[in-house]
Amino acid sequence: MSNVEMRNSEEFPPGYGDFRLISSDNVVFHFPPWFLSHMSPVFKDMVALATEDSQRTNELQLTEDAETLDRFLRFCDPLKKVLPLNLDKLQPLLEAARKYQVTKIFEWMEERILADVERVMTPAPARIQDPMTVLALATRFDLENLARLALRELVKAPAKEFQTSMVFESDMFMHLFHLRQQRIKAMVDRVLAFHDAVKPAYTYCGQYQIHHELDYSIKRLVVALTEEPSWATLKRNGALWSSQCPGCTNLLPAAQIFQGWKAEILEEEAKVPELPPL
């Protein structure tokens, strides 16, 4: 062992276990080796090699930092409480899970996110926290169910939610872009088709101001749908539309128009997209 100053883990202090795991930032975790061997086939071999060594050091120097190792070891110890899901801390934990083949961590991640989705799915479709990060992680670690749920959210999400500091797999991003462009086109075409249908009815109407405001509202709605192609956007921006024009008998108020579109749009938003072909 080097002469670098070490400190002990508060959660796994001396005496908690007779095996020492040393993080990359020199924190020592005292851990029962049988827990490691039971949870991870990789650690099983590493522990066996360490204990069979002629010097019997009973310790391993690891590449994970102390925060990641603390989160990881809680999954290996049935006596410890797993820390809450934190997307900002998740990537190094998942890297460790893949490295040491602890599938329980991937199962836990999916369960936690799916539980959050189910809690908010009634009456609206799923709402995932930070769907772009979830999609990046799900793509990186081959979690297909999560990737598809994140895609469903991002197809209709505000454009500002597309920001992420994670390196993103290009094929998945292009697939998302294609799905979103399809959704934008479908919703904008619906609005413009309505506008084209009612235009002849009010071309010669004397209520010029009402129709001028409607034209302007249509343009604003198209811009808003390009930014966020969702039922929520349609409903929110539809409040700007004028009420029924007294001079045009077939120009319906926005609320009545949208009600006819609602079921079909919500059904489309609830669909889970397919992943891009391999």
Side-chain angles (χ1 to χ4, degrees), residues 93-195:
L93 175 61
L94 295 180
E95 295 285 4
R98 179 162 62 181
K99 175 181 176 181
Y100 299 117
Q101 299 178 25
V102 180
T103 57
K104 178 181 178 180
I105 295 177
F106 293 106
E107 295 167 358
W108 163 83
M109 174 191 173
E110 289 198 84
E111 287 174 0
R112 292 311 317 139
I113 293 178
L114 291 175
D116 291 341
V117 168
E118 290 171 359
R119 191 161 50 243
V120 298
M121 279 195 68
T122 304
R127 183 70 179 88
I128 296 177
Q129 176 192 358
D130 196 354
M132 198 67 173
T133 297
V134 171
L135 181 60
L137 289 170
T139 303
R140 184 180 184 89
F141 296 101
D142 300 320
L143 303 172
E144 294 187 1
N145 289 338
L146 287 185
R148 294 180 68 198
L149 285 175
L151 279 174
R152 177 172 68 177
E153 183 64 33
L154 287 165
V155 166
K156 63 183 177 65
K160 64 182 180 181
E161 294 196 15
F162 277 63
Q163 300 177 7
T164 179
S165 60
M166 296 189 61
V167 176
F168 213 92
E169 200 272 320
S170 59
D171 288 345
M172 183 64 80
F173 185 82
M174 291 305 298
H175 183 59
L176 168 59
F177 179 79
H178 176 68
L179 292 174
R180 188 175 173 89
Q181 289 302 110
Q182 286 183 321
R183 181 67 56 82
I184 291 172
K185 183 178 186 304
M187 297 198 72
V188 169
D189 285 353
R190 182 189 292 270
V191 171
L192 294 181
F194 157 76
H195 195 209

Side-chain angles (χ1 to χ4, degrees), residues 13 18 25 29 35 52 64 77 94 115 134 137 139 191 195 209:
D18 55 5
D25 46 355
F29 294 78
F35 284 168
E52 290 171 4
E64 289 74 27
D77 188 339
L94 295 180
V134 171
L137 289 170
T139 303
V191 171
H195 195 209
Q209 185 61 34

